[in-house]
Amino acid sequence: MELVRPSLYHLPEYVAALKRGWSPDNIKGTAASIEELAQIDKDPQAFIDQLTDREAKGPPIVLPDGSSAPRLPGYYLWLWDGEFCGSIGFRWQPGTSSLPSHVLGHIGYAVVPWKTGLGYARSALRLMLLRAREEGLAYVEITMEPENVASRKIVEANGGVLFERFQYPLQYGRKDGLRFRIDL
Ligand SMILES: CC(C)(COP(=O)(O)OP(=O)(O)OC[C@H]1O[C@@H](n2cnc3c(N)ncnc32)[C@H](O)[C@@H]1OP(=O)(O)O)[C@@H](O)C(=O)NCCC(=O)NCCS
């Protein structure tokens, strides 16, 4: 399994995964899948291009409660083993390791259900951490719901340590979360 930069070559399998109900967005779920299918239908190249946005040129981020917030620099890579396996995203604030309170972690990932249990998420995080170091951050944070045992294992296998229990910000609906830190 490798991390690839999204391209038109990989896009048909990404679309197929969305159509099977998979979502790259762990918070918005299938609403995000439907939204992305519409964007791809309208302009596939524009969809691919906005997945790499190191200068935060894209529009503001719409949070789950419908409010919006400034976009951070970031990009997505796709997990690929000859077939599409999932997505991993990384965003950061230039010049600091900290994040605004409404941003739930530097890195998020999702593996398609038919490729889980193969160690892909663990490998994807390991590979993404190598890239995160290049941005000069001292650490990255990853958040998850307490019952997400798999995600916790993935983070701990990559050197993550529980930093704090926290409440998701109001825009996400108040619920308990775990915030892990991985020193770079
Ligand atoms: C969580 C998720 C990323 C796991 O992907 P994956 O590629 O199957 O993970 P890995 O194969 O690398 O497994 C890592 C560990 O989690 C364990 N694991 C995987 N799925 C699990 C599950 N449903 N319940 C308990 N443990 C699980 C694996 O056994 C492995 O443990 P080990 O290190 O002891 O062997 C995937 O199920 C997913 O996309 N879920 C929805 C999105 C999500 O929760 N993302 C993370 C939010 S921060």
Side-chain angles (χ1 to χ4, degrees), residues 136-150:
L137 304 180
Y139 60 83
V140 291
E141 289 182 346
I142 300 180
T143 63
M144 65 196 70
E145 294 177 23
E147 53 276 13
N148 197 337
V149 178

Side-chain angles (χ1 to χ4, degrees), residues 22-23 25-26 79 107-113 115-124 142-145 147-155 157:
W22 171 79
S23 176
D25 188 323
N26 300 322
L79 286 63
I107 297 177
Y109 38 82
V111 172
V112 293
K115 296 271 188 185
T116 54
L118 299 173
Y120 284 175
R122 191 176 18 194
S123 300
I142 300 180
T143 63
M144 65 196 70
E145 294 177 23
E147 53 276 13
N148 197 337
V149 178
S151 192
R152 182 171 186 151
K153 282 185 179 175
I154 289 157
V155 170

Side-chain angles (χ1 to χ4, degrees), residues 75-97:
Y75 58 85
Y76 289 87
L77 297 171
W78 288 348
L79 286 63
W80 191 262
D81 69 354
E83 298 173 352
F84 178 75
C85 313
S87 160
I88 184 164
F90 171 44
R91 62 244 170 134
W92 69 94
Q93 283 201 112
T96 172
S97 303

Side-chain angles (χ1 to χ4, degrees), residues 125-146:
L125 180 56
R126 180 176 55 79
L127 294 169
M128 192 55 118
L129 290 172
L130 298 174
R131 293 166 186 262
R133 278 188 195 111
E134 293 170 11
E135 304 305 332
L137 304 180
Y139 60 83
V140 291
E141 289 182 346
I142 300 180
T143 63
M144 65 196 70
E145 294 177 23

